Amino acid sequence: VENYFIYKDSANTWSLVYADSARAFISGLAAYWMFRKTKDPKWTHKASKSKFMMKKWAEVNEWNFQNKLYLMEAEEAFCYDDTVSAKTLYEKAITSAREHRFINEEALSYELAGYFFLKMGQKDVSVNYFLQAHEKYHNWGAIAKANSLYEFTMSSMCASSP
């Protein structure tokens, strides 16, 4: 792990690590999403590289990176139809984000779990996750995101009602 991080006598080193970790997190999640849409294996390759980096960071700084790793692993399990693992990992991501006070990532974990349950045909469960995500986004101050998710939830559920 020591070789993974190259520390220099610079105040910007940790800023660069944090910026790279944010890029790896978002690009990894996006790659898993793209794989589910396209089934093109290039996306899982990109996601795996991002997850590898996140795992290394989580080993040295569990507080900041554990929930991100769990969420990436949940999305990976979703890609491969491993529903049991996905359910467990979404819950771990939510719990870890809550415990470490990352309300934005707690919201994202709830939202992605909502999409997972919606895809699994469990609409009632997905609504609960989407509404939790809405609340967390709202509490975080992402009002436009909260409203957009709420509108999506209501339109999705009304469209599927008999």
Side-chain angles (χ1 to χ4, degrees):
V1 173
E2 290 82 17
N3 293 335
Y4 195 79
F5 294 106
I6 300 172
Y7 300 109
K8 299 193 185 233
D9 294 330
S10 167
N12 293 327
T13 302
W14 277 106
S15 296
L16 292 173
V17 168
Y18 183 75
D20 197 37
S21 69
R23 181 203 52 80
F25 180 54
I26 299 302
S27 65
L29 293 176
Y32 285 126
W33 186 273
M34 288 301 299
F35 175 74
R36 284 197 303 275
K37 297 296 180 195
T38 67
K39 299 301 183 200
D40 186 338
K42 77 177 179 184
W43 295 111
T44 55
H45 176 71
K46 290 175 186 276
S48 293
K49 286 171 54 177
S50 292
K51 190 182 86 168
F52 173 80
M53 293 169 61
M54 193 59 63
K55 185 172 184 171
K56 293 296 181 187
W57 288 318
E59 289 171 0
V60 294
N61 189 336
E62 185 178 290
W63 184 273
N64 286 322
F65 301 111
Q66 180 186 57
N67 72 292
K68 294 170 184 68
L69 178 60
Y70 286 148
L71 187 55
M72 293 176 83
E73 290 174 337
E75 288 287 286
E76 180 181 43
F78 183 9
C79 285
Y80 294 112
D81 297 321
D82 183 355
T83 58
V84 173
S85 293
K87 287 177 186 179
T88 300
L89 289 162
Y90 284 120
E91 286 303 321
K92 284 183 171 186
I94 290 165
T95 300
S96 179
R98 182 182 315 112
E99 289 173 352
H100 298 132
R101 298 187 298 272
F102 293 112
I103 193 169
N104 57 324
E105 292 168 6
E106 184 181 359
L108 180 60
S109 297
Y110 273 119
E111 180 182 3
L112 295 180
Y115 289 119
F116 165 75
F117 285 107
L118 187 61
K119 178 75 174 175
M120 296 299 110
Q122 298 179 26
K123 291 184 176 102
D124 292 342
V125 176
S126 72
V127 167
N128 290 331
Y129 279 90
F130 286 139
L131 292 177
Q132 284 293 320
H134 168 267
E135 179 184 336
K136 299 301 176 184
Y137 282 130
H138 190 271
N139 292 344
W140 184 47
I143 305 304
K145 174 61 181 173
N147 291 342
S148 173
L149 184 59
Y150 185 80
E151 290 172 15
F152 167 80
T153 304
M154 293 302 109
S155 67
S156 295
M157 296 312 117
C158 290
S160 64
S161 296

